[in-house]
């Protein structure tokens, strides 16, 4: 497919974080962009404000008539049900229909591609790397699975020669990409509804890694069963972080690369997992040829990502943090970062499980990671693309938890429950629509 010959791009599921980045991209290219989504969100409002027409009813009549032409590309999200009438309208008329991953594959084939893979850390690592490259003057476009605070967008730059993409393992999407430099942050079990078992996930990551022809351009977290350049914190590796200190709630640390010793780098995102993300981005940027001082400035100025340990309130008497964590490993990382920053304070976690299948597969891990907080409020499971599973409920998950200060709460009763807590640090956690509640929680706490 030649994207230059496409005039119109129509999205079914335009409000998704990955889909919306592509929508912004095609808008910057001068294409006509429109789309459907199930519900209006802050993100769809932002897209509409940029001139993209969006509707929220599955209605063929609401597809703009200009899009009935042959030079229209239709992009769909996996969350769209097969009976969706707009999707079937385009199928029946033989329009060019692509998944988001396929479109990214087409884009990356004609650019120098940085691909960030791993079951955790993709969005943060991609954001840091995109920020480093953009601030260093590289002709880059970075497609991000979150809103980067520095740019108030999930698209960084509008370059034509270099791309940064998240290599998503869901549905083996990352096998569509054409990476020149890549990293793998982790290969923990996830998406078992797709893969079935951990071995199949690891095999898929190996297949992705094999797409990087030069293994000196593949960076892996130490301990992964892959061939590449090892990266680690406080362990021997080709790229390593050590001498980590916290000053004024920020990290200062040193880095050893194969060719130099970099002293006193500054980075504001808390948690060992974020240090690892910064190191991965540094390793890829150095390999591409970015100057050390440019990397230093970019790391120091990186402001983070919306819903990734995002401070909503940061006062002397109260802290409110919002995070997208939706896997036990990610929740553990949030807990580690909170305890590191606020060691003697009572912490309340509000968690919305994401997907029935994920809740079922990792119930014991969720129970253990959540029980580590002082107090827990548990919302109902967010279904996303799934139908309910018999017996898989938040009440069932609660029964597995060892924390006596954990309870179920409805969305309607959530704010009153939060206000009734004596916790001085509050964390909302989850990948569902809990993000839509952040604004009202912040207002109530303020």
């Amino acid at each position: 497919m030649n994207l230059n010959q496409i005039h119109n791009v129509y999205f079914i599921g335009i409000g998704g974080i990955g889909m919306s980045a592509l929508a912004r991209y095609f808008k910057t290219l001068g294409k006509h962009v429109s789309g459907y989504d199930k519900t209006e969100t802050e993100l769809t409002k932002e897209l509409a404000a940029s001139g993209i027409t969006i509707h929220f009813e599955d209605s063929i009549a609401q597809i703009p008539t200009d899009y009935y032409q042959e030079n229209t590309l239709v992009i769909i999200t996996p969350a769209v049900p097969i009976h969706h009438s707009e999707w079937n309208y385009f199928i029946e008329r033989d329009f060019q229909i692509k998944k988001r991953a396929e479109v990214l594959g087409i884009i990356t084939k004609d650019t120098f591609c940085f691909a960030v893979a791993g079951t955790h850390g993709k969005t943060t690592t991609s954001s840091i790397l995109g920020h480093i490259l953009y601030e260093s003057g590289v002709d880059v476009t970075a497609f991000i699975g979150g809103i980067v605070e520095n740019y108030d967008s999930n698209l960084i730059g509008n370059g034509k020669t270099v791309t940064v993409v998240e290599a998503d393992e869901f549905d083996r999407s990352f096998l569509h990409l054409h990476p020149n430099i890549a990293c793998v942050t982790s290969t923990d079990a996830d998406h078992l509804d797709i893969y079935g078992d951990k071995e199949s996930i690891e095999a898929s990551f190996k297949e992705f890694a094999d797409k990087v022809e030069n293994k000196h351009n593949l960076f892996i977290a130490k301990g992964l069963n892959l061939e590449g350049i090892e990266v680690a914190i406080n362990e021997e590796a080709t790229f390593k972080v050590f001498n980590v200190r916290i000053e004024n709630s920020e990290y200062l640390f040193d880095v050893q690369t194969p060719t130099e010793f970099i002293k006193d780098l500054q980075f504001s995102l808390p948690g060992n997992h974020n240090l690892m993300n910064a190191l991965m981005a540094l390793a890829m940027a150095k390999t591409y040829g970015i100057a050390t001082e440019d990397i230093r400035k970019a790391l120091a100025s990186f402001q983070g990502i919306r819903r990734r340990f995002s401070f909503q309130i940061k006062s002397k008497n109260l802290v409110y943090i919002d995070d997208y964590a939706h896997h036990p490993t990610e929740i553990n990382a949030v807990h580690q970062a909170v305890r590191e920053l606020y060691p003697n304070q009572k912490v309340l976690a509000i968690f919305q499980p994401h997907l029935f299948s994920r809740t079922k597969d990792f119930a014991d891990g969720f129970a253990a990671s959540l029980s580590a907080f002082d107090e827990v409020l548990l919302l109902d499971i967010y279904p996303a693309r799934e139908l309910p599973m018999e017996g898989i409920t938040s009440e069932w998950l609660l029964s597995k938890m060892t924390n006596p200060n954990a309870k179920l709460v409805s969305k309607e009763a959530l704010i009153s429950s939060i206000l009734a807590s004596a916790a001085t640090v509050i964390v909302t956690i989850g990948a569902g629509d809990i993000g839509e509640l952040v604004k009202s929680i912040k207002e109530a706490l303020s």
Side-chain angles (χ1 to χ4, degrees), residues 95-138:
F95 275 78
Q96 297 186 81
I97 304 172
K98 299 286 184 185
K99 291 182 180 179
R100 172 180 159 269
E102 294 175 299
V103 177
L104 284 175
I106 294 167
I107 293 169
T108 59
K109 189 174 182 179
D110 296 325
T111 63
F112 187 98
C113 173
F114 291 87
V116 177
T119 41
H120 321 294
K122 289 187 293 291
T123 296
T124 304
T125 305
S126 300
S127 301
I128 300 166
L129 178 60
H131 180 61
I132 291 171
L133 296 174
Y134 183 79
E135 288 292 298
S136 303
V138 176

Side-chain angles (χ1 to χ4, degrees), residues 312-385:
Q312 303 299 311
I313 298 173
K314 195 176 184 181
S315 65
K316 185 178 179 181
N317 300 318
L318 181 67
V319 172
Y320 171 31
I321 298 160
D322 179 47
D323 197 278
Y324 184 75
H326 54 281
H327 184 283
T329 301
E330 296 166 349
I331 296 172
N332 286 334
V334 170
H335 180 262
Q336 179 266 324
V338 168
R339 294 297 188 199
E340 186 175 54
L341 288 176
Y342 307 103
N344 299 312
Q345 298 196 40
K346 184 176 181 181
V347 183
L348 165 65
I350 300 117
F351 179 58
Q352 180 190 48
H354 183 261
L355 299 177
F356 296 101
S357 59
R358 183 181 282 125
T359 306
K360 172 178 172 286
D361 292 334
F362 303 107
D364 291 340
F366 280 124
S369 61
L370 290 167
S371 292
F373 292 92
D374 298 303
E375 191 178 344
V376 182
L377 298 176
L378 197 59
L379 292 166
D380 284 336
I381 296 170
Y382 183 77
R385 57 185 180 269

Side-chain angles (χ1 to χ4, degrees), residues 10 81 131 140 147 152 156 186 198 212 283 301 428 439:
Y10 189 81
H131 180 61
V140 65
I147 303 299
D152 199 26
I156 300 175
S186 53
K198 190 175 191 300
V212 183
S301 65
T428 41
K439 186 177 179 182

Side-chain angles (χ1 to χ4, degrees), residues 81-203:
I82 56 173
H83 56 74
H84 195 276
S85 64
E86 293 185 22
W87 184 10
N88 283 282
Y89 174 87
F90 288 115
I91 290 174
E92 290 162 5
R93 287 156 182 78
D94 292 326
F95 275 78
Q96 297 186 81
I97 304 172
K98 299 286 184 185
K99 291 182 180 179
R100 172 180 159 269
E102 294 175 299
V103 177
L104 284 175
I106 294 167
I107 293 169
T108 59
K109 189 174 182 179
D110 296 325
T111 63
F112 187 98
C113 173
F114 291 87
V116 177
T119 41
H120 321 294
K122 289 187 293 291
T123 296
T124 304
T125 305
S126 300
S127 301
I128 300 166
L129 178 60
H131 180 61
I132 291 171
L133 296 174
Y134 183 79
E135 288 292 298
S136 303
V138 176
D139 181 44
V140 65
T141 296
F143 299 90
I144 307 298
I147 303 299
V148 188
E149 299 285 8
N150 296 70
Y151 307 90
D152 199 26
S153 177
N154 50 352
L155 191 73
I156 300 175
N158 59 354
K160 305 294 188 293
T161 57
V162 177
T163 48
V164 176
V165 295
E166 295 185 29
D168 190 356
E169 73 278 5
F170 174 75
D171 203 20
R172 296 177 172 83
S173 293
F174 56 6
L175 301 182
H176 290 286
L177 301 175
H178 301 273
N180 299 96
I181 295 178
C183 74
V184 180
T185 63
S186 53
T187 58
D188 289 353
D190 198 4
H191 302 300
L192 295 184
D193 55 324
I194 302 292
Y195 286 98
D197 55 43
K198 190 175 191 300
E199 289 70 27
S200 297
I201 292 175
E202 291 178 345

Side-chain angles (χ1 to χ4, degrees), residues 55-310:
H55 62 271
F56 303 96
E57 178 188 355
D58 177 13
S59 167
I60 294 167
Q62 292 200 46
I63 301 171
T65 53
D66 293 350
Y67 289 70
Y68 295 167
Q69 304 169 15
E70 288 184 2
N71 55 14
T72 293
L73 169 64
V74 179
I75 304 177
I76 60 166
T77 174
V80 174
I82 56 173
H83 56 74
H84 195 276
S85 64
E86 293 185 22
W87 184 10
N88 283 282
Y89 174 87
F90 288 115
I91 290 174
E92 290 162 5
R93 287 156 182 78
D94 292 326
F95 275 78
Q96 297 186 81
I97 304 172
K98 299 286 184 185
K99 291 182 180 179
R100 172 180 159 269
E102 294 175 299
V103 177
L104 284 175
I106 294 167
I107 293 169
T108 59
K109 189 174 182 179
D110 296 325
T111 63
F112 187 98
C113 173
F114 291 87
V116 177
T119 41
H120 321 294
K122 289 187 293 291
T123 296
T124 304
T125 305
S126 300
S127 301
I128 300 166
L129 178 60
H131 180 61
I132 291 171
L133 296 174
Y134 183 79
E135 288 292 298
S136 303
V138 176
D139 181 44
V140 65
T141 296
F143 299 90
I144 307 298
I147 303 299
V148 188
E149 299 285 8
N150 296 70
Y151 307 90
D152 199 26
S153 177
N154 50 352
L155 191 73
I156 300 175
N158 59 354
K160 305 294 188 293
T161 57
V162 177
T163 48
V164 176
V165 295
E166 295 185 29
D168 190 356
E169 73 278 5
F170 174 75
D171 203 20
R172 296 177 172 83
S173 293
F174 56 6
L175 301 182
H176 290 286
L177 301 175
H178 301 273
N180 299 96
I181 295 178
C183 74
V184 180
T185 63
S186 53
T187 58
D188 289 353
D190 198 4
H191 302 300
L192 295 184
D193 55 324
I194 302 292
Y195 286 98
D197 55 43
K198 190 175 191 300
E199 289 70 27
S200 297
I201 292 175
E202 291 178 345
S204 193
F205 273 106
K206 185 176 187 311
E207 192 174 348
F208 166 76
D210 287 343
K211 293 177 76 72
V212 183
E213 293 180 4
N214 183 349
K215 293 308 176 193
H216 291 287
N217 288 347
L218 176 65
F219 300 90
I220 60 170
K222 185 168 184 175
L224 297 186
N225 188 25
L226 294 170
E227 181 188 351
I229 303 299
E230 287 193 324
V231 175
I233 298 173
N234 291 326
E235 292 183 78
E236 283 307 313
T238 307
F239 284 82
K240 70 171 183 176
V241 158
F242 61 102
N243 192 24
V244 181
R245 299 91 75 201
I246 297 177
E247 293 185 13
N248 299 319
S249 298
E250 293 192 339
Y251 280 125
L252 282 179
F253 58 94
D254 302 336
V255 170
Q256 182 68 59
T257 80
T259 58
E260 65 181 312
F261 170 73
I262 308 172
K263 193 171 173 58
D264 293 337
L265 290 169
Q266 180 184 346
F267 189 64
S268 63
L269 269 62
N272 285 338
H273 60 300
N274 281 322
L275 269 182
M276 190 66 166
N277 296 334
L279 181 59
M280 279 288 189
L282 179 150
M284 289 189 284
K286 284 297 297 179
T287 300
Y288 185 69
I290 302 300
T292 298
E293 287 310 304
D294 286 337
I295 295 174
R296 181 189 298 280
K297 290 175 186 174
L299 287 178
S301 65
F302 185 71
Q303 296 171 15
I305 305 132
R306 198 182 298 170
R307 303 222 62 230
R308 299 304 197 282
F309 212 89
S310 177

